[in-house]
Amino acid sequence: MNTSKLPEPLRLLPYVGKWCFIASLVAFLAGSASAFFLFSLDLATRTREAHPWLLWLLPVAGFAVGWIYLHTGKSVEAGNNLLIDEIHDPAKVVPLRMAPLVLMGTVVSHLFGASVGREGTAVQMGGVLADQLTHLLRLRHDDRRILLMAGISAGFSSVFGTPMAGAIFGLEVLAIGRMRYDAILPCFVAAIAADQVGLAWGVHHTHYAVAAMAPVTLYNAIAVIAAGVVFGVAGMAFAHGTHGLSAFMKKWVAYAPLRPAIGGVVVAVAVWACGTHRYIGLGIDTIVEAFHQPVAPWDFLAKGAFTVASLGTGFKGGEVTPLFYIGATLGNILGPLLHLPFQLMAALGFVAVFAGAANTPLASAIMAIELFGADIGPFAALACVVSYLFSGHTGIYRAQRVVQHKHPGVMGKRGGARE
């Protein structure tokens, strides 16, 4: 019990000053790393698009990255899951080599044509760079947990340009059914400042314009809820597919570098067979297209298959941008079926499939408001929450724990015991 005679607001000032300082350091590190990463990713993408033949080297690139991780990165191969585990059960500072390894692995994946995202890289770099402050500042386990959460928030915020969603993501992603409010100040400061650091370095984020909205009526709300069910099932299918293929490859291909090499062959041959590069890389052009015109009804399935084949065989990157692609194209085709503007449904799918796959409905709904404007808020909240419920107790992050089940009578099978 605190026996200080000072008023509580005055006693709080040292705490606020401490975490504003630490979070600002984290923001500078994570924001700068994300800026360098985004510039590198842009260069890799433009190079691949200018030289399509690079795709045929994807198996070689996959083998090389797998070999490097086998010999130098086994302790950090778990990526985002390692950071989440360290927050739940702090053991030792995450090795700094995680940052250059995941940066290199992701840029190589994009350069040669794997279908992967970018948030995993930014989150891992933000977390590991933040964690290097643990010994420097002599932080305790509880403070280290908050430090890692701030790093995750800063990485997510700076790579997507969504500071509010980034802050909530760092608080929400750790466990289903619980948020840690003791980290709310560091996560918000780190996320907001990291976004500003990225902008100061000259980062430009993609602008998505929703040209047509719809009024909040009973029918429209029911239609959005129905779409949320589909989005949730899509997110669940993606998570199951990625984990299932990864487990299959580990069981039947003992030598780790061969897994992405095999995946590279499959992706390269599939691109050749399809006759299009539409389903590899980030796919930002197709996401933007989904907001302006109808897209092919199989786009979301094809992107899901290419991404599962890439991530499930060991290519480095992230899941979130491919989930944006899957959600936006799926929403695009659901719009006419539900008699709602396809632009609106593309925006809702963009965030709601991610909400279901990552079990982060609040961060996803806030991201919708940051990206598409406040008018979409009620529909985004409905779509994200329903998607979250119908994605089940699964998700793209295996280390995420189940603290409270999503609804009565359903026992989750993931994340260990209830805490």
Side-chain angles (χ1 to χ4, degrees):
M1 183 176 179
N2 197 312
T3 58
S4 173
K5 295 181 180 180
L6 290 174
E8 185 174 351
L10 293 180
R11 286 188 274 117
L12 190 61
L13 287 177
Y15 170 86
V16 172
K18 166 189 168 180
W19 279 111
C20 283
F21 172 71
I22 294 175
S24 297
L25 290 179
V26 170
F28 177 77
L29 294 172
S32 299
S34 289
F36 179 76
F37 168 57
L38 290 174
F39 293 141
S40 301
L41 202 57
D42 182 61
L43 177 61
T45 300
R46 286 188 284 109
T47 302
R48 187 194 71 242
E49 291 173 346
H51 305 284
W53 57 266
L54 286 172
L55 177 67
W56 293 107
L57 296 179
L58 183 60
V60 179
F63 183 90
V65 172
W67 188 90
I68 291 171
Y69 263 86
L70 177 64
H71 291 279
T72 66
K74 292 187 72 173
S75 63
V76 297
E77 192 173 14
N80 289 343
N81 291 303
L82 175 60
L83 295 179
I84 295 173
D85 278 334
E86 283 295 326
I87 294 171
H88 287 306
D89 300 303
K92 59 182 179 180
V93 172
V94 180
L96 181 60
R97 62 179 175 274
M98 174 190 273
L101 281 173
V102 72
L103 172 64
M104 174 274 301
T106 305
V107 172
V108 167
S109 295
H110 283 278
L111 176 62
F112 293 98
S115 177
V116 295
R118 53 189 174 176
E119 111 293 336
T121 305
V123 165
Q124 289 173 52
M125 290 194 300
V128 70
L129 291 173
D131 206 17
Q132 305 313 303
L133 299 175
T134 297
H135 290 323
L136 181 64
L137 301 177
R138 299 179 181 180
L139 299 179
R140 301 169 300 172
H141 279 332
D142 286 345
D143 285 346
R144 181 173 174 244
R145 289 188 175 101
I146 296 175
L147 180 70
L148 283 167
M149 293 170 69
I152 290 173
S153 293
F156 191 96
S157 163
S158 55
V159 82
F160 292 125
T162 53
M164 302 291 284
I168 298 299
F169 179 82
L171 296 166
E172 191 177 24
V173 73
L174 305 178
I176 296 174
R178 183 189 66 186
M179 290 177 63
R180 288 195 51 163
Y181 284 89
D182 58 341
I184 194 167
L185 174 66
C187 284
F188 269 91
V189 172
I192 294 169
D195 178 51
Q196 293 300 309
V197 168
L199 295 175
W201 282 114
V203 168
H204 297 282
H205 299 288
T206 304
H207 175 66
Y208 303 99
V210 181
M213 290 293 294
V216 179
T217 64
L218 178 60
Y219 170 80
N220 289 345
I222 293 173
V224 168
I225 290 173
V229 174
V230 178
F231 295 145
V233 172
M236 180 174 62
F238 178 87
H240 278 307
T242 305
H243 295 323
L245 180 58
S246 177
F248 176 85
M249 294 299 291
K250 288 176 180 177
K251 179 179 179 181
W252 293 105
V253 183
Y255 188 52
L258 279 180
R259 298 169 198 152
I262 294 170
V265 171
V266 171
V267 169
V269 171
V271 170
W272 171 78
C274 293
T276 178
H277 286 223
R278 186 178 180 86
Y279 307 118
I280 60 175
L282 288 174
I284 297 296
D285 291 344
T286 305
I287 297 175
V288 173
E289 181 184 336
F291 286 86
H292 291 90
Q293 64 188 49
V295 298
W298 56 82
D299 275 349
F300 78 97
L301 287 173
K303 183 61 173 179
F306 274 88
T307 307
V308 167
S310 298
L311 293 173
T313 57
F315 282 96
K316 302 302 175 185
E319 301 91 347
V320 174
T321 305
L323 287 168
F324 292 163
Y325 184 122
I326 293 167
T329 52
L330 176 57
N332 180 284
I333 64 173
L334 286 178
L337 299 177
L338 295 171
H339 304 289
L340 287 171
F342 72 82
Q343 301 95 329
L344 169 63
M345 294 305 297
L348 295 180
F350 183 106
V351 293
V353 173
F354 165 54
N359 292 305
T360 53
L362 298 181
S364 303
I366 291 171
M367 172 178 271
I369 294 171
E370 289 186 292
L371 292 176
F372 311 125
D375 289 346
I376 204 171
F379 287 139
L382 276 178
C384 290
V385 169
V386 173
S387 176
Y388 162 78
L389 290 174
F390 278 85
S391 66
H393 291 79
T394 186
I396 53 178
Y397 305 119
R398 282 188 174 276
Q400 196 175 51
R401 298 187 179 183
V402 179
V403 176
Q404 182 174 341
H405 301 301
K406 294 183 179 182
H407 43 89
V410 177
M411 298 300 292
K413 296 180 180 179
R414 296 182 57 253
R418 177 171 173 166
E419 294 181 347

